[in-house]
Amino acid sequence: MLMPRQKTPNLTLPLVGGGTFDLANEASERGTVVCFYRGLHCPICATYLKELEKLVESFAERGVNCVAVSSDGEERAADMAEKIEAKGLRFAYDLPLTVAKEWGLYISTSRGKTSIGIEEPALFSEPGLFMVSPDQSLYYGSVQTMPFVRPHFSELVGALDFAIKNNYPARGEYTGAV
């Protein structure tokens, strides 16, 4: 399990359109939103990523970068970026499932074609949403076992406003006896 205020695993992946996403070298005032999604086969992911795409600028105004990450290959990741008409949201691809597990993501097996007729990969990670501070420590984390009931990006923007105004620390950091 990842712990708030502790360093997250490294994350270095190729980006759709060229270049590399390297969490350790992200240049942002307040951190990076890392949105792990299931892949092109997931229609709920497309809807979810459209919401994030609409708010990339709002996050940037607060000093926060955003990236969407999946274990899909380059072509499928590019298709997802095109599907949601991404302009500001970066798409990283080829996430090794060993790294997904380091981030605490759940792994699922294929059930064949989805409701939109796209084949699921043999193995893929379920969704996770993380806010990582500039020092690469975990500020916020949420993982799902299914594609349903995900955190709303608009609420995360509002939470950031509160956290910035009140210098609110990451919570859930206690590891002692209870």
Side-chain angles (χ1 to χ4, degrees):
M1 175 188 336
L2 299 184
M3 292 302 298
R5 303 184 195 176
Q6 301 298 313
K7 187 178 182 291
T8 64
N10 291 324
L11 190 60
T12 304
L13 299 167
L15 288 167
V16 168
T20 301
F21 172 80
D22 184 354
L23 184 58
N25 292 320
E26 275 290 282
S28 63
E29 180 185 358
R30 292 203 171 86
T32 304
V33 168
V34 180
C35 180
F36 292 97
Y37 69 99
R38 301 171 84 222
L40 179 64
H41 65 275
C42 178
I44 296 171
C45 291
T47 301
Y48 194 57
L49 293 172
K50 280 182 189 179
E51 180 188 346
L52 178 55
E53 168 64 29
K54 290 176 186 173
L55 292 171
V56 165
E57 204 170 293
S58 294
F59 281 108
E61 289 167 1
R62 289 154 178 84
V64 176
N65 295 338
C66 298
V67 65
V69 178
S70 79
S71 59
D72 276 350
E74 182 177 15
E75 185 177 333
R76 284 172 65 115
D79 287 350
M80 180 62 94
E82 183 178 322
K83 183 177 193 168
I84 70 150
E85 301 174 358
K87 304 280 187 273
L89 181 59
R90 297 173 293 168
F91 279 78
Y93 58 91
D94 283 344
L95 171 70
L97 294 180
T98 54
V99 175
K101 287 184 92 171
E102 289 175 8
W103 280 82
L105 301 178
Y106 293 92
I107 308 298
S108 289
T109 58
S110 178
R111 296 190 65 223
K113 287 190 177 180
T114 62
S115 61
I116 57 173
I118 298 176
E119 190 76 27
E120 292 181 345
L123 295 172
F124 57 92
S125 66
E126 290 296 337
L129 181 63
F130 299 88
M131 170 75 189
V132 181
S133 297
D135 65 358
Q136 204 179 327
S137 65
L138 179 65
Y139 186 78
Y140 166 85
S142 175
V143 296
Q144 276 73 37
T145 62
M146 295 189 153
F148 315 112
V149 193
R150 302 186 201 187
H152 294 278
F153 295 110
S154 58
E155 290 178 11
L156 185 53
V157 169
L160 277 170
D161 288 340
F162 177 86
I164 292 165
K165 179 181 176 188
N166 296 289
N167 197 27
Y168 198 80
R171 302 310 312 265
E173 75 287 355
Y174 180 74
T175 60
V178 292

